[in-house]
Amino acid sequence: MTAFRWRAQARSGRARAGFLDTAHGTVATPTFMPVGTVGTVKAMTMDAVRSTGAGIVLGNTYHLMLRPGAERVRALGGLHRFMDWPGPILTDSGGFQVMSLGPLRKLDADGVTFRSHIDGSKHRLTPERSTDIQHALDATISMCFDECPALPAPPEVIAQSMRMSMRWAERCRTAFVARPGYAQYGIIQGGTEPDLRAESVRALTDIGFEGYAIGGLAVGEGQELMFSTLDVTVGLIPDDAPRYLMGVGTPDDLLGAVERGVDMFDCVMPTRAGRTARAYTERGTLNLRNARHATDSRPISPHCDCLACSRHSRAYLHHLFRANEILGPMLLTWHNLAYYQRLMRGIRAAIVDGTLPEHAAHLRAQWAMEDWSPDEMPFPDIPPVP
């Protein structure tokens, strides 16, 4: 069976292109993972997700343990079969979701006791239990159970939280069942404190993981501080290990993080935006609810071949959202995920070609421009459905 490993293909400054070999297939990096929290990418069939070019998706321990239950998923053939995704799946450990419960959870040195946000039932998650659940789901990549403190917080609070997460990481590693092609990632914490981030990396690399994630960012600290934290952190991670920035982010966030050496990303932004009528394009975002789109026969983007752009007009999408038709969120989610995958493919190709600085400058210049004028994007006839 295939061994789990990250292979370098090309570099441009600190940015890198490579391949992630797993038990469930190979993924080209840098890569963006659509978020399939409860075993589905919202408003998408898995065929639709595949059509965007996605190579790996994300599931979540907390949500799947509550409904339908990890043991049930295992009995039904594992998460890959359950959700019709034979490719790699990364499962978040549930730590972030549990910590977001506020008064519904109680933290101690051994783990977290919490009440379900669904029905109020009482549950317990420990590093061992989180690891066992991810094993039952048959996650290709399992994440360590950690605590992600809300920022801003005093350095002593961040330090205490990070060190507990490092103790939990050691317990997760002991509980992890190693198999060819499978992996477990340690999660680097430490807020925006450079010394704490360095301490966290040392602790995790001493334990030894197949990959390393950077957690606790994109929680309100701002892009500049996020990037400066990445500048400190990424170079400390072993060069032969995949690097995953959790929960990030906007197209500009992805580009800046790739330039700093990050390989893997996930974020709910493209799917959430699709459900609220916002479309990502090469010229920034569009709000399809705006009245100016009501008579616009053009596609969202002239560079996109997704179903929304190849078959439908902005006017039709505007109509769907105004009429509260479910097809609107479905089509726009499809478009946004297609854009994110196209963005990542373009960045990756630029790394391989050695043109990343020029490509990055072009992307940022395009994002700063306004929507295409009719002269730039003529009003085409929408092709009929065959």
Side-chain angles (χ1 to χ4, degrees):
M1 186 178 286
T2 302
F4 186 95
R5 63 169 178 159
W6 180 82
R7 298 179 279 127
Q9 180 185 11
R11 298 176 188 268
S12 177
R14 287 176 290 171
R16 43 196 232 164
F19 298 97
L20 191 65
D21 295 325
T22 82
H24 298 101
T26 296
V27 180
T29 64
T31 188
F32 178 83
M33 299 180 285
V35 175
T37 302
V38 296
T40 176
V41 177
K42 289 185 187 298
M44 296 283 281
T45 67
M46 297 318 288
D47 279 341
V49 175
R50 279 185 279 272
S51 78
T52 68
I56 177 172
V57 299
L58 180 144
N60 184 265
T61 296
Y62 167 82
H63 289 280
L64 290 168
M65 72 174 278
L66 294 180
R67 187 171 54 192
E71 288 69 26
R72 180 176 296 175
V73 173
R74 172 158 47 193
L76 291 168
L79 189 55
H80 299 271
R81 182 175 180 182
F82 191 58
M83 66 184 290
D84 183 32
W85 184 265
I89 299 174
L90 181 149
T91 49
D92 194 0
S93 69
F96 180 81
Q97 287 72 32
V98 169
M99 299 311 159
S100 301
L101 292 173
L104 294 178
R105 55 93 172 171
K106 183 177 180 181
L107 174 70
D108 57 61
D110 185 59
V112 183
T113 302
F114 64 94
R115 293 197 175 274
S116 165
H117 71 286
I118 299 170
D119 59 9
S121 56
K122 191 174 181 179
H123 299 269
R124 176 91 175 149
L125 263 181
T126 64
E128 293 79 10
R129 177 62 178 147
S130 173
T131 304
D132 290 346
I133 291 171
Q134 293 176 80
H135 182 79
L137 296 172
D138 194 32
T140 315
I141 301 173
S142 299
M143 302 301 300
C144 283
F145 187 61
D146 67 335
E147 183 193 17
C148 179
L151 296 180
E156 58 271 19
V157 172
I158 296 172
Q160 182 180 19
S161 171
M162 180 272 290
R163 288 166 187 151
M164 183 172 66
S165 290
M166 297 306 99
R167 293 191 295 272
W168 286 2
E170 192 164 7
R171 291 166 55 188
C172 288
R173 194 58 175 169
T174 300
F176 179 69
V177 179
R179 295 95 78 206
Y182 289 78
Q184 186 181 49
Y185 285 13
I187 302 178
I188 302 162
Q189 290 290 354
T192 56
E193 304 295 326
D195 57 331
L196 296 180
R197 286 284 174 175
E199 181 182 336
S200 182
V201 174
R202 287 193 300 271
L204 293 174
T205 53
D206 285 347
I207 297 168
F209 291 90
E210 287 79 18
Y212 298 89
I214 302 162
L217 293 177
V219 290
E221 75 282 356
Q223 188 188 73
E224 183 178 352
L225 196 49
M226 178 178 73
F227 283 167
S228 65
T229 303
L230 291 178
D231 287 333
V232 170
T233 307
V234 174
L236 301 175
I237 300 172
D239 186 68
D240 61 349
R243 305 157 175 173
Y244 164 33
L245 178 56
M246 305 178 74
V248 175
T250 67
D252 191 40
D253 289 339
L254 299 184
L255 176 59
V258 169
E259 290 175 315
R260 288 161 172 82
V262 176
D263 307 305
M264 303 174 67
F265 303 88
D266 81 280
C267 191
V268 299
M269 280 187 176
T271 49
R272 183 174 291 166
R275 299 194 301 277
T276 56
R278 290 177 294 131
Y280 285 97
T281 81
E282 294 79 3
R283 295 282 179 90
T285 59
L286 300 176
N287 184 344
L288 271 300
R289 286 189 181 274
N290 286 350
R292 68 187 178 97
H293 300 298
T295 59
D296 194 336
S297 64
R298 298 176 299 168
I300 298 168
S301 167
H303 304 294
C304 185
D305 61 359
C306 77
L307 189 63
C309 290
S310 63
R311 302 289 183 88
H312 301 294
S313 65
R314 297 182 183 191
Y316 181 62
L317 291 162
H318 170 83
H319 159 70
L320 291 176
F321 278 98
R322 296 284 291 180
N324 292 320
E325 285 291 338
I326 195 170
L327 183 59
M330 292 170 65
L331 288 172
L332 206 51
T333 298
W334 195 328
H335 167 79
N336 284 343
L337 288 177
Y339 171 74
Y340 266 60
Q341 295 300 333
R342 190 167 66 252
L343 172 67
M344 298 308 289
R345 287 195 299 271
I347 294 172
R348 188 181 191 284
I351 296 171
V352 173
D353 294 342
T355 59
L356 181 61
E358 296 83 359
H359 184 69
H362 174 73
L363 287 174
R364 292 185 173 113
Q366 289 286 303
W367 290 329
M369 298 177 71
E370 295 185 355
D371 189 14
W372 293 273
S373 69
D375 291 339
E376 291 179 285
M377 190 170 77
F379 292 74
D381 291 329
I382 299 298
V385 176

